[in-house]
């Protein structure tokens, strides 16, 4: 076999992993975020000031926020179920040290600290969990698109052929979900009246970079005869086109239907699409082409997976719009966010119940078709991830209250402490004031499209220059770390110079 066909076979005919393993894997990012925040607070406790060195901040962020993910999806994947407990124990040890060494006179009882914490007012204008969600999905996607070409990346994590749940299958849907959380329809104030189709016009002007990138990827892949998994999106289609068309279609739907009921549109889309799959020959067409022998003759046959899966991704997008609108409701206290976490948890439990019913009585999860089970699975796991991130932020707010003057980038501002009844200077620094604190999450957030594009370009370069399939473990880890660090360093430098890659 040629090198191209060998690599295509290496990422084909896979069946995914269990839902439990993916859930365990999703808990790693929030735990890494928690450990980074606790280390910064501990530093402030010992030295009396926040960490200010940009170099050390970058190294700390990369080693704590990114490197553990690289190890977890390669050499540590056989013990993935134990890693969250190890990191959690590490976090518990740091918190114990902070709590025992805090300088508060007179000492306040732990019960009173908890009561004061529940009444603490937070900055209602900034929800750090949304920022971190979108950045981490981008980071996890960037790690996976290169790591999947190395033998150290478990085949069960890669995209499945027809049915199954792989980590990369989730990443595609989560990327769509994350985009919808901050779409113009969500960020637009409800009391601001806009022309009915103004958002559609704005989306036409904002998605052209995605179309351009999609065309660029198509031409570059075909010109250099780069390996590709045809059953993923088709012969000519790719994920950039999917993002662009889903955003346009969603804006059109949100111009017609009330955005506060976008979840109803999502349910109708997913259920109707599944009914059509089950009652017509559409499913056979997607899986085997119009002649039943996997023909790729004609544009629709050639790109049937990419074109028809748009319905499922559109349903995920509309569901995420509803989540984004709900998250942006003014909750200015810890107690309010604790109640929100409870409601989210209840929603997740209901969704997992529906997922079980759908998989048993309707059809298993299929990223290739983006069927009903896939939509439910993606939304349920995205909400689970958001819950973990919100709980992490609340834990860091609680710890910050123990150490006066401590600061954790991309964490909630404490607007008012109930112990004094007076407003304080914010102890955490939100994205809108990034100049004071350097943070890798903020840096990537500023240029997410560029980060994703750079990751794709570097992935192609590595695959052209290196025989990834036969790489040794040490070499693989070095390449993956160099690849991710280079990408992060570019974002960090652009953030330091306040450069935003946005020309539309």
């Amino acid at each position: 076999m040629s090198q191209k066909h060998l690599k295509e076979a290496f990422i084909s005919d896979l069946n995914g992993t269990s839902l439990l393993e993916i859930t365990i894997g999703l808990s790693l990012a929030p735990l890494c975020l928690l450990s980074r925040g606790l280390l910064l607070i501990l530093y402030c406790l010992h030295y009396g000031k926040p960490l200010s060195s940009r170099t050390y901040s970058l190294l700390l962020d990369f080693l704590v926020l990114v490197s553990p993910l690289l190890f977890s999806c390669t050499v540590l994947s056989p013990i993935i179920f134990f890693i969250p407990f190890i990191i959690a124990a590490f976090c518990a040890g740091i918190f114990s040290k902070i709590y025992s060494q805090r300088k508060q006179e007179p000492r306040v009882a732990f019960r009173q600290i908890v009561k004061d914490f529940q009444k603490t007012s937070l900055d209602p204008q900034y929800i750090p969990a949304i920022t971190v969600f979108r950045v981490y999905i981008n980071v996890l996607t960037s790690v996976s698109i290169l790591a999947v070409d190395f033998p150290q990346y478990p085949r069960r994590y890669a995209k499945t052929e027809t049915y199954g749940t792989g980590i990369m299958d989730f990443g595609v849907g989560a990327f769509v979900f994350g985009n919808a959380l901050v779409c113009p329809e969500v960020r637009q104030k409800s009391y601001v009246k806009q022309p009915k189709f103004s958002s559609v016009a704005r989306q036409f002007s904002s998605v052209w970079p995605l179309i351009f990138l999609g065309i660029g990827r198509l031409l570059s892949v075909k010109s250099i005869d780069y390996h590709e998994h045809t059953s993923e999106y088709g012969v000519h289609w790719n994920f950039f086109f999917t993002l662009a068309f889903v955003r346009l279609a969603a804006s059109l739907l949100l111009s017609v239907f009330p955005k506060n009921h976008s979840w109803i549109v999502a349910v109708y889309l997913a259920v109707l699409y599944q009914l059509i799959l089950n009652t017509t020959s559409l499913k056979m067409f997607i899986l085997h082409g119009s002649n039943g022998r996997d023909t790729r003759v004609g544009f629709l046959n050639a790109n049937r997976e990419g074109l028809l899966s748009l319905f499922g991704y559109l349903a995920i997008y509309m569901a995420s719009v509803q989540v984004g609108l709900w998250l942006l409701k003014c909750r200015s206290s810890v107690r309010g966010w604790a109640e929100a976490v409870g409601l989210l948890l209840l929603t997740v439990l209901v969704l997992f119940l529906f997922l079980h019913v759908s998989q048993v009585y309707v059809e298993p999860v299929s990223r290739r078709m983006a069927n009903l089970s896939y939509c439910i699975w993606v939304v349920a796991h995205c909400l689970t991830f958001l819950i973990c991130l919100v709980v992490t932020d609340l834990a860091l707010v609680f710890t910050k209250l123990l150490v006066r003057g401590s600061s954790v980038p991309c964490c909630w501002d404490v607007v008012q402490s109930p112990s004094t009844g007076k407003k304080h200077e914010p102890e955490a620094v939100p994205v809108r004031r990034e100049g004071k604190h350097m943070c890798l999450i903020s840096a990537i957030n500023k240029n997410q499209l560029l980060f994703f594009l750079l990751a794709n370009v570097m992935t192609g370069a590595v695959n052209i220059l290196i025989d990834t399939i036969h790489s040794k473990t040490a070499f693989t880890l070095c390449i993956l770390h160099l690849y991710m660090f280079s990408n992060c360093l570019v974002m960090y430098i652009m953030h330091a110079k306040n450069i935003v890659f946005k020309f539309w």
Side-chain angles (χ1 to χ4, degrees):
M1 295 177 68
S2 67
Q3 188 73 4
K4 175 189 175 183
H5 290 109
L6 195 63
K7 289 191 174 184
E8 287 175 350
F10 191 59
I11 57 175
S12 301
D13 301 319
L14 304 172
N15 299 314
T17 184
S18 66
L19 295 177
L20 178 61
E21 184 168 13
I22 294 175
T23 305
I24 292 294
L26 286 178
S27 68
L28 292 177
L31 285 170
C32 290
L33 190 70
L34 179 62
S35 61
R36 190 278 299 255
L38 292 174
L39 286 171
L40 289 173
I41 295 173
L42 183 63
Y43 179 92
C44 182
L45 179 64
H46 276 282
Y47 293 97
K49 60 179 182 179
L51 179 64
S52 57
S53 170
R54 292 185 172 183
T55 302
Y56 290 150
S57 293
L58 173 60
L59 291 175
L60 175 66
D61 283 357
F62 183 80
L63 291 176
V64 179
L65 300 180
V66 179
S67 191
L69 303 180
L70 287 170
F71 282 106
S72 297
C73 69
T74 51
V75 293
L76 296 182
S77 58
I79 58 169
I80 188 69
F81 288 93
F82 299 101
I83 297 176
F85 296 101
I86 295 172
I87 301 177
F90 174 72
C91 292
I94 300 176
F95 177 80
S96 177
K97 190 167 186 178
I98 292 172
Y99 184 78
S100 62
Q101 295 183 5
R102 74 191 194 283
K103 300 173 183 178
Q104 281 192 356
E105 298 294 341
R107 284 293 179 97
V108 182
F110 184 79
R111 182 178 297 179
Q112 185 60 44
I113 294 175
V114 173
K115 288 182 178 179
D116 289 345
F117 168 67
Q118 291 176 345
K119 300 174 185 176
T120 300
S121 297
L122 304 173
D123 180 5
Q125 302 300 318
Y126 172 60
I127 304 173
I130 294 178
T131 299
V132 177
F133 177 94
R134 300 181 70 244
V135 168
Y136 252 121
I137 292 300
N138 213 327
V139 169
L140 290 168
T141 303
S142 299
V143 169
S144 295
I145 60 175
L146 177 59
V148 71
D149 294 314
F150 290 90
Q152 289 75 20
Y153 188 86
R155 297 300 90 194
R156 66 185 187 275
Y157 289 175
K159 288 178 180 176
T160 56
E161 189 65 31
T162 303
Y163 295 104
T165 52
I167 288 178
M168 294 186 72
D169 293 315
F170 169 74
V172 176
F175 213 102
V176 173
F177 188 95
N179 268 263
L181 285 176
V182 295
C183 70
E185 291 82 4
V186 171
R187 291 183 280 110
Q188 178 185 315
K189 300 296 183 181
S190 59
Y191 55 80
V192 178
K193 291 187 177 181
Q194 298 275 349
K196 196 165 188 179
F197 292 95
S198 62
S199 60
V200 180
R202 286 197 302 271
Q203 286 289 17
F204 267 107
S205 62
S206 65
V207 302
W208 72 264
L210 293 173
I211 301 292
F212 177 77
L213 291 173
I215 295 173
R217 188 186 189 283
L218 171 63
L219 295 176
S220 60
V221 165
K222 299 302 180 184
S223 63
I224 63 175
D225 200 29
Y226 190 76
H227 69 278
E228 52 185 333
H229 193 186
T230 304
S231 64
E232 190 175 336
Y233 296 106
V235 178
H236 312 104
W237 202 263
N238 58 57
F239 188 55
F240 290 111
F241 292 141
T242 294
L243 280 179
F245 280 89
V246 165
R247 285 176 59 175
L248 285 174
S251 292
L252 183 61
L253 287 175
L254 291 169
S255 298
V256 177
F257 300 100
K259 62 181 182 181
N260 290 324
H261 297 110
S262 57
W263 71 273
I264 299 177
V265 180
V267 171
Y268 270 109
L269 275 171
V271 172
L272 181 60
Y273 176 50
Q274 185 64 55
L275 283 173
I276 296 173
L277 285 173
N278 287 355
T279 58
T280 68
S281 60
L282 184 63
K283 184 189 300 185
M284 293 300 295
F285 172 72
I286 295 175
L287 299 180
H288 305 293
S290 58
N291 66 350
R293 291 184 240 175
D294 202 29
T295 178
R296 293 288 174 179
V297 178
F299 182 78
L300 186 57
N301 268 305
N303 303 285
R304 54 184 185 268
E305 293 92 350
L307 291 169
L308 293 170
S309 64
L310 288 173
F311 293 102
Y313 290 123
L314 183 57
I316 293 171
Y317 192 99
M318 296 298 289
S320 180
V321 168
Q322 187 72 63
V323 174
L325 290 170
W326 185 79
L327 287 175
L328 287 179
K329 286 184 179 178
C330 185
R331 294 181 183 89
S332 58
S333 68
V334 168
R335 188 186 298 275
W337 276 103
E339 292 172 354
V341 166
L343 287 173
L344 282 174
L345 189 58
L346 180 61
T347 304
V348 167
L349 293 175
V350 172
L351 285 173
F352 274 114
L353 177 62
F354 286 156
L355 176 60
H356 175 73
V357 173
S358 180
Q359 291 216 90
V360 172
Y361 297 103
V362 182
E363 188 177 33
V365 172
S366 173
R367 184 260 324 149
R368 187 174 177 182
M369 291 182 283
N371 60 1
L372 176 62
S373 295
Y374 178 77
C375 295
I376 298 173
W377 171 55
V378 167
V379 174
H381 269 79
C382 285
L383 291 180
T384 302
F385 193 33
L386 275 171
I387 289 171
C388 293
L389 293 174
V390 172
V391 170
T392 297
D393 285 328
L394 292 176
L396 290 175
V397 169
F398 179 83
T399 311
K400 284 196 303 176
L401 293 174
L402 301 177
V403 181
R404 185 178 296 275
S406 59
S407 176
V408 179
C410 284
C411 181
W412 259 308
D413 277 353
V414 177
V415 177
Q416 184 173 347
S417 174
S419 59
T420 62
K422 297 179 181 179
K423 291 186 177 181
H424 295 275
E425 283 297 314
E427 296 175 342
V429 181
V431 174
R432 62 184 179 277
R433 288 178 292 168
E434 290 163 347
K436 188 178 177 181
H437 293 264
M438 290 300 293
C439 171
L440 184 58
I441 293 174
S442 300
I444 297 173
N445 182 57
K446 258 191 173 181
N447 288 287
Q448 289 206 46
L449 181 59
L450 179 61
F451 182 83
F452 186 58
L453 175 61
L454 185 59
N456 275 269
V457 172
M458 293 177 68
T459 296
V462 170
N463 271 281
I464 292 171
L465 298 173
I466 296 174
D467 179 12
T468 56
I469 296 179
H470 301 103
S471 297
K472 302 297 183 182
T473 300
F475 181 74
T476 296
L477 291 175
C478 288
I479 291 295
L480 290 177
H481 276 82
L482 181 62
Y483 153 77
M484 283 303 297
F485 185 77
S486 300
N487 208 346
C488 292
L489 180 61
V490 172
M491 298 301 105
Y492 204 77
I493 292 173
M494 292 182 68
H495 178 51
K497 297 183 178 296
N498 200 29
I499 300 173
V500 180
F501 181 75
K502 189 170 184 178
F503 47 85
W504 61 92

